[in-house]
Each structure stands twice: as structure tokens, then as C-alpha cells.
């Protein structure tokens, strides 16, 4: 395009020179008028086009190289133009309100295939998010959180509350009854009686070796021990049956008083609670407990990874059903749609205000940061071809004006 405009300028100069050489009379006068004015028009428009991007012939002529000289101002004006005409909050919100995002989302999620696709996208995003996590930091955070919560936990008060709940409505007496029944069954066992008898004989030999040491007394002592063991077992069994059959038995009353006192001490006794907290602290600081807490993230991470990667996992099915249910709820519930649209509009209003200023500043800074030569080159390549038509038109229109002026001179000047 530049070469074409330069060719027209060269042709007008050649015609101007040739018309002068031929005397400039008759038809050559018309040629000279045309070429002279065309040359002036071509040169003037060349100057105007070049002055937009650079200094003509490198001369420091005022008000030339307009684009690079006003690069910062152009960037600011462009940013303001985009801000006021494309990022106006009222215009954006009006289009968003007409769009009705809640209804469109509900209609889209109501289709099972699309709900499945959305669930798959969500699983992919979550899986990628897992890869972004620093496992060491996460493990340390989980350990710090769990240990801090355990240390802050009032184990004594909790134990008191649990025991208080377990003793409500006489539940602790059921535990006592079951323990007494098991003890009675244990004492009624012949093997237990035999072991008790052996212990008695062993004790008698140790305490009274001279009496038991003679051969003649061994069998009588064993018989006495067997009889005594049997009698003790029967006496204990009778006592156990009496305790089981009498709700007001002294043993039950002592047991009730002991449990109530212990529950109260768990809640109110600082010394007992301090002992429980000491046990709790030793358990927390135990290496096995620390290793378990640190390994929690590995187990959680592995479980999440399995569920996110498997298309038929319980998590995937639950996510798909949840999205499908959300779509159907949105389609059937106008109040829900209105509430979601209101939240979207509120968020969009806040986002538009922040985005508006941020984008404006970004455009202005980007234009200011462009290299001057690259900016000029880019603009010339994008709009330069059309600007060269100005030179074409200037050459031709200038020539036509020259002919018109020559005709006026002949008409009024003779």
C-alpha cells in the first residue's frame, strides 16, 4: 500500500515535470494543474499519515509522532472508555438479570446426563485440588488442630457427663447385676473350687509347715480345704443371690452412693480432674498416638482419591444425585430461584465494582508498558492499509481540485 501511494506521488511529479517541459500550454496546462495539485495533496497526506506514528524524515516537528507521544494518555482514555461502556455495573447487572441464572442452572441440572457431567467436572476439580496441597503442611496442620483440641478437652467433665448419662434410670444397676451373675457363675464352677482348695492347702503348708508337714495330716488338711472352699463358694453365691433379689440391699446402696459420689467428683473435684488430665496428656504425648494423628491425612487423602477417581464411587453417586436434586428443586421452587438470583446479583454487583476498577487499571498499565516501536508497528499493520488510502485519495482529489481551480482561472481570469 505504501509503494502504491509512493507510485502515485512519483507519477504526479513526473507529470508535473513533463508538463513544464512541454511549455504548459493547451492540454499540457490542464496536465500541469492536475499534477501540481496532486503532488501537493500526496505530500500533505503523506505528512499527515506519517505524523500519526513517527516524525516525518526524523525532523522534530511539533505535533508529530502523535501515537507514541501520547501513549500513556491513549492507554488511560482506552481504559476509561472500556470502563464506562463495557463494565458499567448497571448495564452488566441488567443483562445478568434478564439472563435469569437460577432458572437456566435448574433446567440444565435437571437433565441426568448433564448432572452426571457436572459431577464429573466437580470430581476432577477436587482431585486436582488435592494434588495442589502440600501434604507436609496439611499433616502438621491436622496434628496441631487435633492435639490442640484434645488438650483443650475437659476429659473429667466429659467423663462425669457420660457417667451421669449411663447411670440415669438405674442403668448402672443393670451393669452391677450382670457382673454379679458372671461372678456367681465363676464361683459355682468346680474347677474354680478346686483351685481355691489348692491355694488353701498351699497357704496352710507355708504358714503351718510343722502341722501340715506330717504325712498323716496331709489328707485331712486337703479335705478341710476342699470343704472350706465349697462352703465359701456357697456363702458367696447365697450373698450374690440376695443382692440380686433385693433392690434395697446395703451393697446396692453403697454402690449407688459410690457412683453418685464419683460422678460428682468428676464434675467438681479439681484434684481428680487434674489426675484425669494428666492421664490424658500422657496419652496425647505417646508416640503411637502422635504417629496415628500424623497418619490421619494419609488415610483421608487415600479415601478421597479413591472416591474422586472412581466414577461409580459412593461420593460420585451422592454428588450426582445432589446436583440432580438441586436442578429439580430450582425448576419447581420459584422462591429458591429468586433467592439464588438475588445472591448472584449481590455478588455480581460487588464483583463488578472491583472488576471495573481492576480492569481499568490493568488496561492503562498494559498500554503504558508497551514498547513504543512495537506499538507503532502493531498499529501500522492493523490500520495502516486504510491510512494509505488517505494518500491515494489525497493525490487524486488534489489533482481534481487543481483542474477545478485551473478552470476557474480560465473562466474568470481570461
Amino acid at each position: 500500500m505504501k509503494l502504491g501511494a509512493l507510485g502515485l506521488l512519483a507519477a504526479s511529479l513526473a507529470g508535473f515535470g513533463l508538463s513544464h517541459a512541454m511549455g504548459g500550454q493547451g492540454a499540457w496546462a490542464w496536465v500541469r494543474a492536475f499534477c501540481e495539485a496532486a503532488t501537493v495533496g500526496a505530500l500533505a497526506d503523506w505528512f499527515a499519515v506519517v505524523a500519526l506514528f513517527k516524525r516525518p524524515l526524523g525532523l522534530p516537528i511539533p505535533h508529530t509522532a502523535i501515537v507514541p507521544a501520547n501513549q500513556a494518555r491513549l492507554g488511560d482514555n482506552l481504559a476509561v472508555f472500556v470502563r464506562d461502556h463495557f463494565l458499567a455495573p448497571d448495564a452488566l447487572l441488567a443483562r445478568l438479570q434478564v439472563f435469569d441464572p437460577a432458572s437456566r442452572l435448574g433446567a440444565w441440572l435437571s437433565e441426568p446426563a448433564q448432572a452426571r457431567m457436572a459431577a464429573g467436572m466437580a470430581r476432577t476439580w477436587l482431585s486436582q485440588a488435592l494434588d495442589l496441597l502440600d501434604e507436609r503442611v496439611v499433616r502438621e496442620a491436622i496434628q496441631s488442630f487435633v492435639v490442640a483440641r484434645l488438650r483443650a478437652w475437659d476429659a473429667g467433665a466429659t467423663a462425669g457427663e457420660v457417667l451421669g448419662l449411663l447411670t440415669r434410670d438405674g442403668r448402672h444397676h443393670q451393669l452391677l447385676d450382670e457382673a454379679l451373675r458372671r461372678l456367681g457363675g465363676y464361683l459355682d464352677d468346680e474347677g474354680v473350687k478346686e483351685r481355691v482348695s489348692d491355694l488353701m492347702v498351699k497357704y496352710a503348708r507355708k504358714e503351718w509347715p510343722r502341722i501340715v508337714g506330717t504325712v498323716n495330716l496331709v489328707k485331712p488338711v486337703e479335705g478341710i480345704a476342699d470343704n472350706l472352699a465349697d462352703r465359701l463358694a456357697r456363702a458367696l453365691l447365697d450373698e450374690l443371690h440376695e443382692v440380686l433379689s433385693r433392690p434395697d440391699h446395703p451393697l446396692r446402696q453403697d454402690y449407688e452412693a459410690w457412683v453418685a459420689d464419683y460422678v460428682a467428683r468428676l464434675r467438681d473435684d479439681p484434684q481428680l480432674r487434674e489426675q484425669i488430665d494428666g492421664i490424658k496428656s500422657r496419652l496425647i504425648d505417646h508416640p503411637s498416638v502422635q504417629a496415628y494423628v500424623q497418619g490421619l491425612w494419609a488415610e483421608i487423602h487415600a479415601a478421597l482419591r479413591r472416591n474422586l477417581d472412581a466414577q461409580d464411587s459412593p461420593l460420585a453417586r451422592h454428588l450426582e444425585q445432589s446436583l440432580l436434586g438441586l436442578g429439580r428443586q430450582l425448576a419447581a421452587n420459584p422462591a429458591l430461584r429468586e433467592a439464588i438470583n438475588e445472591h448472584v446479583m449481590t455478588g455480581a454487583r460487588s464483583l463488578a465494582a472491583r472488576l471495573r476498577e481492576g480492569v481499568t487499571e490493568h488496561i492503562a498499565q498494559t498500554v503504558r508498558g508497551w514498547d513504543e516501536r512495537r506499538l507503532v508497528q502493531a498499529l501500522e499493520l492493523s490500520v495502516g492499509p486504510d491510512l494509505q488510502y488517505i494518500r491515494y485519495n489525497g493525490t487524486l482529489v488534489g489533482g481534481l481540485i487543481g483542474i477545478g481551480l485551473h478552470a476557474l482561472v480560465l473562466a474568470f481570469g481570461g
Side-chain angles (χ1 to χ4, degrees):
M1 297 296 293
K2 287 182 177 180
L3 289 175
L6 184 61
L8 284 178
L9 174 60
S12 63
L13 284 171
F16 179 70
L18 181 60
S19 64
H20 272 282
M22 297 304 293
Q25 300 296 322
W28 288 108
W30 294 92
V31 173
R32 186 181 67 179
F34 177 87
C35 291
E36 184 179 14
T39 300
V40 173
L43 290 173
D45 286 343
W46 165 82
F47 181 89
V49 171
V50 172
L52 285 172
F53 303 105
K54 59 190 71 173
R55 297 187 183 278
L57 301 177
L59 300 174
I61 303 172
H63 304 294
T64 57
I66 294 173
V67 170
N70 295 275
Q71 181 175 345
R73 185 163 58 90
L74 289 173
D76 293 340
N77 291 337
L78 176 62
V80 170
F81 178 81
V82 172
R83 181 195 67 190
D84 294 341
H85 292 83
F86 294 94
L87 297 177
D90 292 339
L92 290 174
L93 293 176
R95 293 182 66 85
L96 184 61
Q97 190 170 14
V98 172
F99 183 73
D100 192 6
S103 295
R104 291 176 181 268
L105 178 64
W108 192 80
L109 287 177
S110 296
E111 296 294 332
Q114 292 168 350
R116 189 177 306 111
M117 181 177 69
M121 293 170 60
R123 288 190 295 107
T124 301
W125 293 338
L126 291 172
S127 181
Q128 292 173 350
L130 281 179
D131 295 332
L132 297 177
L133 295 175
D134 188 332
E135 293 194 6
R136 181 183 61 82
V137 174
V138 174
R139 283 198 301 270
E140 291 177 355
I142 291 177
Q143 183 181 15
S144 299
F145 173 78
V146 172
V147 170
R149 296 298 297 174
L150 287 175
R151 292 194 188 282
W153 170 45
D154 190 345
T158 303
E161 294 295 331
V162 172
L163 284 177
L165 180 65
L166 293 177
T167 56
R168 187 178 300 171
D169 300 327
R171 295 188 183 96
H172 56 300
H173 285 285
Q174 298 175 8
L175 179 64
L176 176 63
D177 292 345
E178 182 63 24
L180 292 177
R181 290 190 188 96
R182 289 182 178 272
L183 178 61
Y186 178 78
L187 293 175
D188 199 30
D189 185 80
E190 293 297 329
V192 174
K193 294 178 182 178
E194 184 176 349
R195 287 196 294 273
V196 171
S197 175
D198 292 340
L199 286 173
M200 288 181 177
V201 171
K202 183 178 179 181
Y203 180 79
R205 287 174 177 173
K206 180 180 179 181
E207 294 296 327
W208 305 291
R210 294 182 179 178
I211 301 176
V212 182
T214 61
V215 178
N216 294 331
L217 291 178
V218 171
K219 290 297 182 182
V221 169
E222 291 179 352
I224 293 171
D226 291 340
N227 189 33
L228 182 58
D230 184 68
R231 288 178 178 275
L232 285 173
R234 291 184 178 280
L236 285 173
L237 286 174
D238 291 341
E239 184 67 19
L240 290 178
H241 285 303
E242 186 176 0
V243 173
L244 288 172
S245 61
R246 287 180 54 191
D248 59 342
H249 193 278
L251 179 64
R252 286 187 180 277
Q253 294 177 358
D254 293 341
Y255 172 67
E256 177 72 27
W258 176 81
V259 170
D261 178 68
Y262 194 72
V263 170
R265 288 180 61 202
L266 285 172
R267 292 173 177 171
D268 304 325
D269 189 344
Q271 185 175 1
L272 180 59
R273 294 173 67 171
E274 184 177 351
Q275 293 175 358
I276 294 175
D277 285 338
I279 296 172
K280 180 192 71 176
S281 297
R282 289 194 294 274
L283 289 174
I284 292 173
D285 294 333
H286 195 277
S288 298
V289 175
Q290 293 288 331
Y292 173 76
V293 173
Q294 288 187 356
L296 282 176
W297 171 242
E299 297 181 12
I300 295 171
H301 186 277
L304 286 174
R305 177 69 68 189
R306 287 194 303 270
N307 276 273
L308 291 173
D309 292 343
Q311 191 170 0
D312 58 344
S313 66
L315 177 61
R317 291 194 299 271
H318 177 72
L319 186 58
E320 180 181 339
Q321 291 300 319
S322 298
L323 291 173
L324 187 62
L326 174 62
R328 291 170 178 170
Q329 283 290 327
L330 286 173
N333 192 335
L336 180 59
R337 292 197 303 271
E338 183 179 354
I340 290 179
N341 280 337
E342 183 63 29
H343 283 296
V344 171
M345 295 295 290
T346 301
R349 185 177 290 106
S350 175
L351 179 62
R354 296 196 302 270
L355 184 66
R356 189 167 183 252
E357 298 304 323
V359 170
T360 303
E361 183 64 23
H362 173 68
I363 293 174
Q365 289 183 355
T366 301
V367 175
R368 289 195 200 102
W370 282 343
D371 179 72
E372 181 180 309
R373 287 183 298 176
R374 292 184 61 187
L375 171 63
V376 170
Q377 183 182 13
L379 290 175
E380 282 187 316
L381 289 175
S382 61
V383 300
D386 290 329
L387 292 177
Q388 298 307 315
Y389 280 111
I390 296 176
R391 297 174 62 186
Y392 292 170
N393 294 334
T395 303
L396 297 175
V397 172
L400 294 175
I401 292 175
I403 290 176
L405 291 174
H406 183 67
L408 289 175
V409 169
L410 292 178
F412 294 101

